[in-house]
Amino acid sequence: SRIVRYEDVDDDVVEEERVVLPRYKLAPYHSGKSTYKYFFKRGFTKKTMKERLIGYDSINRTVTVPVFWEDKSLAGVLGRYIDPDRPKNKRYKIYDFNTGDVLSGMHNVNYSNKTCILCEGLLDELWLWQCGVENAMATLTNSVSKTQLKFIRQHFDTIIDFSDCDDMGNRFTETLLKYCSDDFNLYSVKHLYPHGCKDPQDCDPEDIYYMLDNKKPLNAYVKPKLKPYE
């Protein structure tokens, strides 16, 4: 499977029936019952491990995180490699599902709250959720697909950009500005990242809530000079 960006998805694909996997697919990873110390070193708790059914793939040496549809049926599994020397763009293993069809955390959203918080990474969404942030979801890439945007448009009218404070995160922001400005109230918290922090998981809960309380309209965001795609 590959990560799908907005530009890669045709309108016909958006209408395709979603794929639901049986829960027994999680059994080999002892999901919610055992994991690797790496998960806890990242600041996650045993409660999060159990509630989000975190597991461990001993063959591929990945911490496994299931991704669910909004009705809590299983969409797929993502694995985070624990090798610290692995290249940044090869740190995740996609277990046979299309990441562009789903948003990590979409099964936890509050539909009466018309605001969603979008981040890029799986562990960033998991961290925001552990910190008690409502309606945090991850696109699982530095962009947003048409399928993801369709779901967001059906349930929300406001988006808060909580993408990474780096070049790839700036690409994410550019996508929101390009495709979401006409349909949503857009806000950003990226101007408030504490010194030395570049993504949600770098931030303490106090920092996260301060950033959300002091968000600014995204149209006031200073467009950065982006590096070209390599």
Side-chain angles (χ1 to χ4, degrees):
S1 298
R2 62 187 180 94
I3 292 177
V4 176
R5 304 179 190 280
Y6 188 99
E7 296 85 352
D8 296 333
V9 183
D10 296 327
D11 290 335
D12 292 340
V13 178
V14 174
E15 300 300 329
E16 285 186 358
E17 185 177 354
R18 69 183 187 182
V19 176
V20 175
L21 301 179
R23 286 290 185 111
Y24 68 73
K25 290 286 187 179
L26 301 178
Y29 314 124
H30 304 283
S31 300
K33 299 178 181 179
S34 65
T35 188
Y36 189 75
K37 60 183 179 181
Y38 163 89
F39 182 73
F40 300 111
K41 284 185 176 181
R42 294 292 294 260
F44 293 108
T45 64
K46 192 171 183 178
K47 182 174 183 290
T48 294
M49 180 199 79
K50 289 183 176 180
E51 292 188 9
R52 293 295 296 267
L53 299 177
I54 311 301
Y56 180 64
D57 179 351
S58 60
I59 297 175
N60 292 287
R61 298 192 70 212
T62 62
V63 172
T64 58
V65 184
V67 180
F68 298 96
W69 297 107
E70 66 272 24
D71 62 0
K72 303 187 187 308
S73 57
L74 183 64
V77 178
L78 274 179
R80 176 59 159 84
Y81 289 102
I82 60 175
D83 181 1
D85 298 323
R86 197 173 184 86
K88 183 177 180 181
N89 62 344
K90 296 182 179 180
R91 292 178 181 175
Y92 286 94
K93 176 177 174 58
I94 303 172
Y95 289 79
D96 298 323
F97 78 107
N98 192 337
T99 57
D101 289 346
V102 64
L103 290 149
S104 175
M106 66 193 302
H107 65 298
N108 286 321
V109 297
N110 176 3
Y111 293 108
S112 65
N113 184 338
K114 295 297 184 179
T115 297
C116 69
I117 299 164
L118 291 185
C119 57
E120 299 170 67
L122 176 73
L123 295 185
D124 290 327
E125 179 271 311
L126 200 62
W127 180 249
L128 289 171
W129 177 83
Q130 180 173 288
C131 291
V133 175
E134 188 175 73
N135 289 2
M137 298 185 292
T139 61
L140 308 176
T141 181
N142 65 309
S143 186
V144 57
S145 73
K146 287 185 178 180
T147 307
Q148 292 168 339
L149 186 56
K150 179 183 177 182
F151 171 81
I152 296 170
R153 187 180 288 112
Q154 287 173 340
H155 300 288
F156 305 100
D157 58 27
T158 300
I159 296 174
I160 300 176
D161 176 13
F162 212 137
S163 55
D164 293 2
C165 190
D166 59 12
D167 186 64
M168 300 301 282
N170 288 337
R171 297 182 196 277
F172 184 95
T173 300
E174 290 286 286
T175 300
L176 293 183
L177 286 169
K178 184 175 181 180
Y179 296 110
C180 302
S181 295
D182 294 338
D183 300 323
F184 300 94
N185 303 310
L186 297 177
Y187 292 90
S188 177
V189 299
K190 293 170 67 170
H191 61 290
L192 294 170
Y193 266 111
H195 179 71
C197 298
K198 76 167 187 67
D199 58 43
Q201 212 189 343
D202 286 338
C203 302
D204 294 330
E206 295 80 8
D207 296 325
I208 289 171
Y209 281 100
Y210 175 82
M211 294 168 74
L212 292 172
D213 288 341
N214 292 277
K215 61 186 181 296
K216 286 186 176 180
L218 192 57
N219 58 13
Y221 179 75
V222 178
K223 182 177 178 180
K225 184 179 181 180
L226 300 179
K227 298 178 182 179
Y229 283 106
E230 296 179 355

